[in-house]
């Protein structure tokens, strides 16, 4: 705890020194991060493989490519993001300077998650640095190789006092949350999100919470099923289903349930071959606890495909469940694994009602050839984000904010939104000390006639 | 849970979708406008009863500024509601990528007593504009205004979607047990903490408009009488009961001496020789606040004013000189017609003084030298900043209004209120065709596929131009 206080204290002193304010300094730090990612690519990939059995290309495209993209974007756009924004003035302020200034918040805390352990600390870190803050990073202890690597690498490339890494589990994080930060960005579960917000409330610290939930995927009868199922298969089983925006469950008409299963089966063979366990491209569950948790969800379910497991390697085969009851366990919690339940509904109305009876999800998916139907689903539901006719993709466009709503979270980041999340937008009005005559209108003794001017 | 029925009634209305069409929102907003027009007299009377608010001030803050916000919203709602289309990358050229503004659902607005209509109405404008249902909880301390709102707002707004809840701390505590989709709170920091803690149980996002001590730095080079007028106006408006009022002055000893006659003159100019008799000077809202303020008069020495009358809850426009940082007047937000002056040696000391304290909602700096104004601005942090005047940054709807750190989180006014009460939902509507474009992302993974993916997704750094 004492060490933590020292680290945070040093970060605060470093922030107060003002050296993170000049844009050139921030860009230099971002450039150093870029060098780190390029020079240490092998080490990063090795850590991801050790933690999650992530294959090379998968790890690269999910965790490295995205990070490099954010870095380039931030370095390119920082001058325009950070520039004061003049605003529309009214009659009384016509002669004045009125603008919104972007300022750093101070010392911010980034708490990462284990499923995309590198990108989920790096992307917030990039935004926090770009906005001029000092940053304390707390990577997930569950993905321990990546956590160790991040703790080793960041001090080698970045200003050691301004940017610090604190490692540890629940007790360490609980201690850390008693300290005062100027913003906390947390990625993780809904339950812990509440704990983080309650801790933040004690210091009136604003929070961005990237949580989760069950992301529904509605498949309309009128759509290209083969294409839809290929895209869904990709989004569901990548990273072995351990993706916060993975399509959690399918809603479709009973008449196409069989075809959906067939199409997904075919795609799975296409992706992972006949023996999925020996495919280098199929991951594993992160640890025994989650392995057992997901296994428990299969109890009593109609397994249409898959279901094979191997505890020793935390392997769970890509699994599809059919005719799932909305009341069953697998429909209660976020699955976060390679198990895809299909719940049948008779119409899009029923699907919308089903979705709206539940907590707002982080992502929502709808597949249909009918533009009108898609428009309806968007207008009559709410979710963090949405992709129609594909999955996951709304999260890769940096121009779109990435975040949840309701139980799936609050706030957003990625691209410019990261910068804004970690900045204070300060209203600035600079008047002249002269031209007092204009002010006389507002001074007492007041006259009601004056106001009607 | 005494409010469960009310909240679920509003939630049912929300789920019915009736607040979503633009026509509905406009109709409710126009009804709010009629409320302000029809009840203008009653609002002026109620606020006068509550805190002796001068009619001029009440009209300005409770009617005029509210109508401005209403008109800005009505004029722009159609535009604000539109989907915001965004730039796309190479693979998404045939897709539609946009940000949809979704309402949150049922929101809670908790308002304080000092600008009792403005501080529920302006947030409500944004909440309605964004398509939400709302519960309004006005302050029980401004009890005449509370009664007016509770009795008449329902005659203008759709009571299935908008409700007023009255009561004090126990009632608010029970109300906060319910799940809301957004909570907008204006009040003091300790209660802000309580609200955020209650919100955390339901993961309800919040905007907290809090307060603190707003410093006002006056440099040695300035136009004395203009500074005095602007400071006096900002400090004594609403009898000092303004969250963005200049809370204390920072200046050199020399400046304190020079400023005093100017301040005295401005006070007399505004309120006459006996402010107690001026219709333009108000009263303290309650006995509790009166006693709290009276106790602060022992700080430093009374240079101007200092007279009080308990029966009337009158405290004269007061300036305290030579106040020490350890004095009672420097320990809490004053929120009354008392202006302490703390002497510092120079602008650097003033900036250090400000930075050693919690970040304020507003920060003021007066100087004829714009470099000094900018120095104070650049070396400090605050919710908002106004150079060479007080309060005015709040009256421009194009500027966001909100705090930082202890003075709050989130912002509103103008479009910012609409944005506060909307969920900005990332939407991507893709083409079902062109499936071959997706092949690089699918397993089995190969280096070649990776290369293709990198090419299409990579954000390339624009080449740096080297001058020969």
């Amino acid at each position: 705890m004492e060490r933590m206080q020292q680290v945070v204290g040093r970060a605060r002193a470093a922030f107060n020194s003002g050296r993170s304010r000049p844009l050139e300094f921030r860009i230099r730090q971002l450039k150093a991060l870029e060098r780190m990612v390029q020079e240490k690519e092998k080490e990063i990939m090795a850590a991801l493989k050790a933690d999650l059995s992530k294959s090379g290309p998968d790890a690269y495209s999910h965790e490295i490519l995205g990070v490099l993209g954010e870095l380039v974007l931030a370095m390119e756009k920082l001058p325009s993001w950070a520039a004061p924004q003049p605003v529309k003035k009214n009659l009384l302020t016509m002669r004045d300077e009125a603008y919104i200034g972007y300022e750093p918040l101070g010392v911010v805390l980034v708490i990462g998650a284990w499923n995309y352990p590198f990108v989920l600390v790096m992307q917030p870190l990039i935004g926090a640095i770009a906005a001029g803050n000092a940053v304390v990073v707390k990577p997930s202890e569950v993905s321990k190789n990546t956590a160790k690597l991040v703790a080793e690498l960041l001090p080698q490339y970045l200003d050691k006092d301004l940017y610090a890494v604190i490692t540890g589990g629940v007790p360490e994080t609980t201690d850390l949350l008693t300290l005062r930060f100027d913003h906390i960005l947390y990625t993780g579960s809904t339950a812990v999100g509440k704990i983080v917000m309650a801790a933040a409330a004690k210091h009136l610290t604003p929070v961005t919470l990237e949580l989760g939930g069950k992301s529904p995927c509605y498949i309309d009868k009128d759509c290209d099923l083969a294409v839809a199922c290929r895209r869904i298969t990709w989004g569901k089983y990548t990273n072995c289903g351990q993706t916060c925006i993975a399509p959690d469950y399918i809603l479709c008409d009973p008449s196409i349930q069989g075809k959906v299963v067939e199409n997904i089966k075919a795609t799975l063979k296409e992706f992972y071959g006949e023996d999925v366990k020996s495919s280098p491209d199929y991951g594993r569950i992160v640890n025994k606890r989650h392995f057992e948790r997901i296994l428990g969800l299969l109890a009593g379910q109609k397994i249409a495909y898959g279901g094979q497991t191997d505890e020793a390697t935390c392997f769970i085969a890509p699994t599809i469940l059919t005719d799932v009851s909305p009341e069953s366990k697998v429909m209660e919690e976020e699955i976060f694994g390679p198990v895809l339940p299909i719940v049948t509904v008779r119409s899009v109305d029923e699907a919308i009602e089903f979705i709206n009876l539940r907590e707002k999800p982080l992502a929502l998916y709808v597949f249909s050839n009918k533009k009108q139907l898609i428009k309806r689903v968007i207008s009559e539901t709410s979710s963090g984000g949405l992709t129609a006719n594909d999955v996951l993709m709304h999260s890769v466009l940096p121009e779109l904010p990435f975040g949840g709503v309701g139980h799936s979270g609050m706030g957003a980041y990625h691209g410019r939104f990261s910068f804004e999340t970690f900045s204070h937008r300060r209203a600035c009005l600079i008047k002249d000390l002269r031209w007092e005559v204009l002010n006389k209108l507002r001074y007492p003794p007041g006259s009601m006639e004056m106001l009607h001017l | 849970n005494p409010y469960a029925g009310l909240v679920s009634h509003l939630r049912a209305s929300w789920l019915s979708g009736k607040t979503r069409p633009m026509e509905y929102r406009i109709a409710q907003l126009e009804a709010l406008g009629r409320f302000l027009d029809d009840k203008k007299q009653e609002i002026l009377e109620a606020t006068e009863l509550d805190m002796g608010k001068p009619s001029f001030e009440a009209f300005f803050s409770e009617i005029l500024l509210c109508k401005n916000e209403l008109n800005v919203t009505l004029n722009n709602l159609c535009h604000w509601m539109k989907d915001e289309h965004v730039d796309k990358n190479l693979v998404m050229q045939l897709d539609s990528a946009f940000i949809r503004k979704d309402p949150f659902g049922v929101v809670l607005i908790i308002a304080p007593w000092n600008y009792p209509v403005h501080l529920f109405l302006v947030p409500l404008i944004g909440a309605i504009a964004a398509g939400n249902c709302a519960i309004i909880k006005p302050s029980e301390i401004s009890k005449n205004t509370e009664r007016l709102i509770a009795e008449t707002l329902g005659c203008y707004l759709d009571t299935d979607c908008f409700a007023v809840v009255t009561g004090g701390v126990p009632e608010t505590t029970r109300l906060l047990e319910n799940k809301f989709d957004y909570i907008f709170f204006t009040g003091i920091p300790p209660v802000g903490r309580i609200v955020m803690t209650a919100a955390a149980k339901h993961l309800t996002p919040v905007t907290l408009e809090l307060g603190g001590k707003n410093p006002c730095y006056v440099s040695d080079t300035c136009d004395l009488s203009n500074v005095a007028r602007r400071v006096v106006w900002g400090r004594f408006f609403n009898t000092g009961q303004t969250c963005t009022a200049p809370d204390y002055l920072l200046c050199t000893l020399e400046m304190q001496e020079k400023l005093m006659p100017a301040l005295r003159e401005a006070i007399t100019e505004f309120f006459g020789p006996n402010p107690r008799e001026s219709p333009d000077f108000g009263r303290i809202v309650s006995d509790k606040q009166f006693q709290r303020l009276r106790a602060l008069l022992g700080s430093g020495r009374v240079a101007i004013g200092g007279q009080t009358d308990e029966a009337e809850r009158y405290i004269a426009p007061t300036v305290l000189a030579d106040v020490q940082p350890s004095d009672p007047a420097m320990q809490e937000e004053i929120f009354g017609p008392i202006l302490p002056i703390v002497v510092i040696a120079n602008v650097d000391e003033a900036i250090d003084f400000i930075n050693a304290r919690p970040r304020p909602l507003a920060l003021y700096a007066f100087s004829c030298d714009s470099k000094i104004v900018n120095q104070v601005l650049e070396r400090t942090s605050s919710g908002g900043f106004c150079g060479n005047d007080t309060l005015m940054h709040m009256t421009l709807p194009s500027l966001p209004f909100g705090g930082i750190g202890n003075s709050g989180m989130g912002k509103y006014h103008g479009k910012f209120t609409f944005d506060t009460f909307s969920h900005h939902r990332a939407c991507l509507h893709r083409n079902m065709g062109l499936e071959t474009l997706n092949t690089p992302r699918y397993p089995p993974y190969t280096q070649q596929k990776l290369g293709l993916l990198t090419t299409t997704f990579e954000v390339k750094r624009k080449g740096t131009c080297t001058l020969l």
Side-chain angles (χ1 to χ4, degrees), chain B residues 161-222:
Chain B
C161 300
F162 308 105
V164 179
V165 166
T166 56
V169 171
E171 288 79 7
T172 313
T173 310
R174 297 313 308 272
L175 190 55
L176 283 168
E177 287 166 15
N178 293 280
K179 179 180 170 173
F180 291 97
D181 303 302
Y182 203 93
I183 298 177
F184 189 103
F185 170 80
T186 306
I188 56 174
V191 182
R193 279 192 196 89
I194 294 171
V195 171
M196 189 170 170
T197 304
K201 293 197 173 72
H202 297 288
L203 285 169
T204 301
V206 301
T207 290
L208 306 174
E209 296 273 331
L210 311 176
K213 294 182 77 59
N214 304 319
C216 181
Y217 170 71
V218 178
S219 85
D220 286 340
T221 47
C222 68

Side-chain angles (χ1 to χ4, degrees), chain A residues 88 231 360 390 427 429 442, chain B residues 104 385 387 389 398 435 441:
Chain A
K88 188 162 166 219
R231 297 180 183 187
K360 296 175 195 175
D390 205 341
L429 181 65
R442 74 193 202 210
Chain B
F104 279 108
F385 178 92
D389 209 338
S398 53
E435 180 62 358
R441 76 188 197 200

Side-chain angles (χ1 to χ4, degrees), chain A residues 264-289:
Chain A
I264 295 178
K265 267 165 77 169
T267 310
L268 283 168
K269 289 211 172 75
E270 196 185 306
F271 286 1
Y272 305 115
E274 286 299 330
D275 179 21
V276 65
K277 199 161 173 209
S278 55
S279 163
D281 300 329
Y282 187 71
R284 297 292 181 268
I285 303 304
V286 72
N287 60 25
K288 290 270 186 307
R289 179 168 78 84

Side-chain angles (χ1 to χ4, degrees), chain A residues 21 31 55 57-58 60-61 65 69 72 75-76 87-90 92-93 98-100 103 105 180 182 190 193-194 197-198 200-202 204-206 209 211 223-224 227 230-231 234 238 270-272 281 359-360 364 367-369 371 374 378-379 381-390 393-394 396-397 399-401 404-407 410 417 424-434 436 439-448 451-452, chain B residues 20 44 55-56 59-60 64 86-89 92 97-100 102 104 179 181 189 192-193 196-197 199-206 208 210 222-223 226-227 229-230 233 269-271 280 359 363 366-368 373 377-378 380-390 392-393 395-396 398-400 403-406 409 411 416 423-433 435 438 441-445 450 453-454 457 459-462:
Chain A
R21 314 285 300 240
K31 201 108 199 63
S55 74
D58 214 4
Y60 189 86
S61 64
L65 201 59
V72 169
M75 288 189 280
E76 201 69 66
V87 299
K88 188 162 166 219
K89 297 182 284 194
N90 59 18
L92 275 177
T93 46
Y99 61 91
I100 301 170
E103 303 180 356
L105 294 169
R180 206 192 123 235
D182 301 303
T190 299
K194 290 181 182 170
M197 189 171 173
K202 294 200 172 68
L204 286 171
T205 299
L209 304 174
L211 310 175
C223 83
D224 185 334
V227 171
R230 185 179 296 117
R231 297 180 183 187
W234 169 68
T238 206
E270 196 185 306
F271 286 1
Y272 305 115
D281 300 329
E359 295 297 343
K360 296 175 195 175
L364 214 160
F367 286 83
S368 177
N369 284 332
K371 235 177 155 168
I374 291 178
I378 299 179
S379 299
T381 60
S382 191
S383 62
L386 178 145
T387 298
N389 293 335
D390 205 341
M393 295 300 280
H394 62 281
V396 312
L397 201 53
E399 307 294 325
L400 287 175
V405 65
H407 275 212
M410 58 182 78
F417 303 99
H424 171 55
R425 271 183 265 191
R426 189 179 191 192
C428 299
L429 181 65
I430 318 280
K431 297 188 74 96
D432 202 296
L433 256 185
R434 301 163 296 169
E436 186 62 353
N439 285 344
K440 299 253 198 255
L441 286 175
R442 74 193 202 210
Y443 295 151
S447 146
M448 295 299 267
L451 276 173
H452 293 285
Chain B
R20 306 190 71 142
L44 300 189
S55 302
F56 186 92
F59 182 81
F60 184 75
L64 186 67
V86 301
D87 284 340
K88 298 174 287 193
N89 61 22
M92 294 178 187
F98 57 92
I99 301 172
R100 162 69 55 98
D102 273 349
F104 279 108
K179 179 180 170 173
D181 303 302
R193 279 192 196 89
M196 189 170 170
T197 304
K201 293 197 173 72
H202 297 288
L203 285 169
T204 301
V206 301
L208 306 174
L210 311 176
C222 68
D223 182 317
N226 288 353
V227 170
R229 267 193 222 101
R230 296 173 191 196
W233 178 72
E269 196 183 304
F270 290 3
F271 309 117
D280 298 324
R359 288 178 291 186
L363 216 159
F366 285 84
S367 181
C368 285
V373 171
L377 169 58
E378 280 162 25
T380 60
S381 181
S382 63
F385 178 92
C386 187
N388 293 330
D389 209 338
T390 58
M392 290 303 283
H393 61 291
T395 64
L396 201 54
S398 53
L399 282 176
I404 184 176
N406 247 45
M409 57 182 77
K411 56 196 165 297
F416 299 103
H423 165 55
H424 290 219
R425 187 183 189 189
C427 296
L428 180 64
H429 183 162
R430 303 212 71 195
N431 203 292
M432 272 274 228
E435 180 62 358
N438 283 341
R441 76 188 197 200
Y442 297 142
Y445 301 128
L450 188 59
L453 209 63
T454 307
F457 272 95
V459 178
K460 284 228 167 345
R461 186 80 189 273
K462 293 200 182 99

Side-chain angles (χ1 to χ4, degrees), chain B residues 47 73 78 112 198 254 265 277 285 290 297 349 370 388 425 455-456:
Chain B
T47 51
T73 305
C78 181
E254 198 186 8
E265 197 181 312
E277 285 161 16
V285 74
F290 174 86
L297 292 172
E349 219 180 274
S370 66
N388 293 330
R425 187 183 189 189
T455 316
T456 50

